[in-house]
């Protein structure tokens, strides 16, 4: 997701350092009149879903898995020391249902109950392990300690049909952001090398101290400013979002980690990533970090949504969708492209954006 953990100091830094120059952007492949918002309804609770911030696609079954929870609502309840905190869920839905032109709202059933997890279910980063038919995700669990709520990220797994696996707990960095399963190992991105006020220092000075850990080798990379989304290309490269650098980091996977090959500059800070049907890397980018911060942390205004596709071999970047006002869809953090069109989710907005390919 789009997982910016901005405290007051970080927010001030963004407002001071962000420029106001108008950016010239090429026309988007999907015009706004090709796109619509689709409401997602939790079939178990009847609630309209907000915060569908990460997706993974199982192309073999044509199912989209959605990780969703309302981060702002959870953080507000935690600050107020509420008795309980809102939960989230992981959902599966057919792409045929999503692209049905007559659908305005769809009911989607949660794969698993939040009661199955100590500390609750609030899925953050999500990866699909096709070989084992599992979903691997970062679960932001909360525990009440001395009257205060404290968040702890845990790396957890469930079967694609909701099977719960009981095993050894897999440790995650305190700032764990996204996760990627490969044949050799599990990578976890961390957006700060430290948490709390020390992490805010990295934001203020835009320090390149975040990166990747590996299930086999521990820390394998720490040269990014706000390491975020992860995806693997058809050629086997690992792609990492460096959100505060407006760049994708292309890396070769090694038996004991990774090796950086090159970087691709983007028109915005990339968040979560996915692989398009034609092999391109789809990135949901943040064109205005200060507007994202106001929207994400304070619920003020709308944040732009800009979806792009990058060719990791040539470095070419195409604009797929651009909503500079955020009125149609605000603060997009993930997008998946199929031959039928584009589906995007947001860290703060309701439902999903659906853009149909031109006939």
């Amino acid at each position: 997701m789009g997982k910016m953990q901005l405290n007051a100091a970080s927010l001030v830094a963004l407002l001071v350092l962000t420029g106001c120059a108008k950016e010239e952007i090429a026309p988007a492949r999907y015009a706004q009149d090709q796109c619509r918002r689709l409401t997602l309804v939790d079939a178990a609770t009847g609630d309209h879903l907000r915060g569908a911030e990460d997706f993974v696609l199982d192309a073999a079954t044509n199912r989209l898995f959605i990780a969703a929870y309302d981060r702002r609502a959870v953080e507000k309840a935690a600050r107020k020391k509420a008795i309980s905190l809102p939960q989230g869920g992981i959902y599966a839905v057919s792409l045929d249902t999503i692209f049905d032109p007559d659908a305005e709202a769809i009911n989607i059933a949660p794969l698993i109950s939040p009661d199955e997890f100590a500390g609750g279910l609030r899925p953050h980063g999500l990866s699909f392990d096709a070989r084992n038919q599992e979903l691997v995700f970062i679960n932001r669990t909360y525990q009440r300690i001395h009257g205060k709520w404290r968040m702890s990220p845990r790396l957890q797994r469930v079967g694609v049909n909701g099977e719960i696996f009981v095993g050894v707990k897999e440790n995650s960095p305190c700032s764990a952001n996204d996760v990627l399963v490969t044949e050799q190992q599990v990578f976890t991105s961390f957006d700060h090398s430290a948490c709390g006020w020390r992490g805010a220092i990295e934001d203020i000075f835009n320090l390149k101290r975040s990166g990747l850990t590996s299930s086999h080798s521990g820390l394998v990379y720490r040269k990014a400013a706000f390491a975020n989304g992860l995806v693997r290309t058809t050629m086997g490269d690992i792609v990492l979002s460096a959100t505060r650098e407006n760049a994708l980091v292309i890396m070769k996977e090694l038996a004991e980690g990774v090796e950086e090959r090159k970087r691709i500059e983007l028109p915005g800070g990339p968040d979560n990533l996915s692989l398009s049907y034609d092999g391109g890397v789809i990135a949901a980018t943040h064109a205005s970090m200060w507007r994202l911060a106001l929207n994400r942390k304070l619920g003020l205004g709308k944040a732009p949504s800009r979806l792009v596709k990058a060719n990791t071999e040539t470095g070419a970047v195409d604009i797929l969708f651009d909503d500079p006002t955020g009125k149609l869809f605000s603060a997009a953090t993930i997008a998946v492209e199929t031959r039928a069109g584009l589906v995007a989710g947001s860290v703060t907005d309701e439902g999903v954006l659906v853009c149909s390919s031109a006939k």
Side-chain angles (χ1 to χ4, degrees):
M1 153 293 63
K3 308 162 178 88
M4 297 294 288
Q5 298 182 17
L6 298 171
N7 56 24
S10 304
L11 180 57
V12 170
L14 281 173
L15 295 175
V16 171
L17 296 176
T18 301
C20 299
K22 187 174 180 180
E23 200 175 8
E24 294 297 327
I25 295 297
R29 183 175 302 177
Y30 295 87
Q32 291 201 17
D33 61 9
Q34 292 175 252
C35 305
R36 61 190 172 87
R37 183 195 300 272
L38 178 65
T39 299
L40 303 179
V41 182
D42 186 312
T45 65
D47 294 336
H48 287 197
L49 293 184
R50 181 184 295 273
E53 65 176 76
D54 203 4
F55 303 157
V56 289
L57 176 63
D58 179 2
T61 63
N62 205 37
R63 287 200 299 175
L64 186 70
F65 295 99
I66 301 173
Y69 83 100
D70 189 337
R71 290 174 60 188
R72 197 161 57 226
V74 171
E75 291 164 357
K76 181 179 180 180
R79 286 195 306 271
K80 292 189 173 184
K81 302 179 182 179
I83 298 300
S84 62
L85 302 182
Q87 303 264 25
I90 296 176
Y91 306 84
V93 59
S94 165
L95 284 177
D96 293 336
T97 301
I98 287 178
F99 284 110
D100 180 351
D102 296 324
E104 296 181 358
I106 57 174
N107 291 325
I108 55 177
L111 278 182
I112 43 179
S113 169
D115 296 335
E116 299 286 350
F117 299 91
L121 176 60
R122 298 169 196 89
H124 195 57
L126 186 65
S127 183
F128 174 49
D129 183 351
R131 182 176 54 178
N132 295 311
Q133 290 294 292
E134 295 176 3
L135 297 169
V136 183
F137 64 101
I138 296 168
N139 187 16
R140 288 190 161 179
T141 66
Y142 278 79
Q143 291 78 36
R144 198 178 181 93
I145 302 174
H146 303 303
K148 296 182 179 180
W149 289 104
R150 294 187 181 179
M151 191 276 288
S152 300
R154 296 178 181 172
L155 197 61
Q156 298 188 296
R157 298 170 179 260
V158 296
V160 294
N161 296 309
E163 304 92 338
I164 300 295
F165 298 106
V166 179
V168 178
K169 290 183 179 179
E170 299 182 60
N171 293 327
S172 296
C174 65
S175 60
N177 196 316
D178 202 7
V179 62
L180 176 67
V181 179
T182 72
E183 289 84 355
Q184 300 182 61
Q185 55 206 312
V186 178
F187 291 106
T188 301
S189 67
F190 58 95
D191 51 50
H192 294 82
S193 64
C195 294
W197 65 268
R198 293 179 179 86
I201 296 297
E202 296 178 33
D203 292 338
I204 292 171
F205 294 101
N206 206 34
L207 301 178
K208 296 181 180 181
R209 293 183 178 175
S210 65
L212 289 178
T213 63
S214 160
S215 55
H216 286 183
S217 308
L219 179 64
V220 294
Y221 182 84
R222 195 174 70 172
K223 297 179 182 178
F226 206 97
N228 202 324
L230 286 165
V231 76
R232 192 181 188 204
T233 71
T234 54
M235 301 299 292
D237 284 337
I238 306 300
V239 186
L240 170 70
S241 290
T243 303
R244 290 182 177 272
E245 299 177 64
N246 289 8
L248 297 178
V249 184
I250 317 300
M251 294 175 281
K252 179 181 179 181
E253 182 178 7
L254 306 175
E256 300 299 325
V258 294
E259 177 181 75
E260 182 175 337
R261 289 207 303 117
K262 61 180 178 180
R263 296 186 175 215
I264 298 174
E265 185 178 347
L266 299 182
D271 203 304
N272 286 320
L273 307 174
S274 69
L275 200 62
S276 176
Y277 69 93
D278 61 5
V281 171
I282 308 297
T285 67
H286 301 299
S288 173
M289 299 301 289
W290 69 269
R291 287 174 63 189
L292 172 66
L294 291 174
N295 174 257
R296 159 72 185 89
K297 296 297 290 185
L298 304 177
L300 298 177
K302 302 285 188 179
S305 290
R306 180 174 294 160
L307 310 176
V308 305
K309 181 192 290 188
N311 184 315
T312 56
E313 292 304 311
T314 68
V317 176
D318 295 321
I319 307 295
L320 296 182
F321 173 83
D322 194 31
D323 182 2
T325 66
K327 289 182 179 179
L328 178 58
F329 199 65
S330 177
T333 53
I334 181 64
V336 168
E337 185 187 36
T338 72
R339 295 186 185 280
L342 196 65
V343 185
S346 164
V347 64
T348 57
D349 217 340
E350 280 196 2
V352 293
L353 179 76
V354 181
C355 300
S356 298
S357 297
K359 301 299 185 181

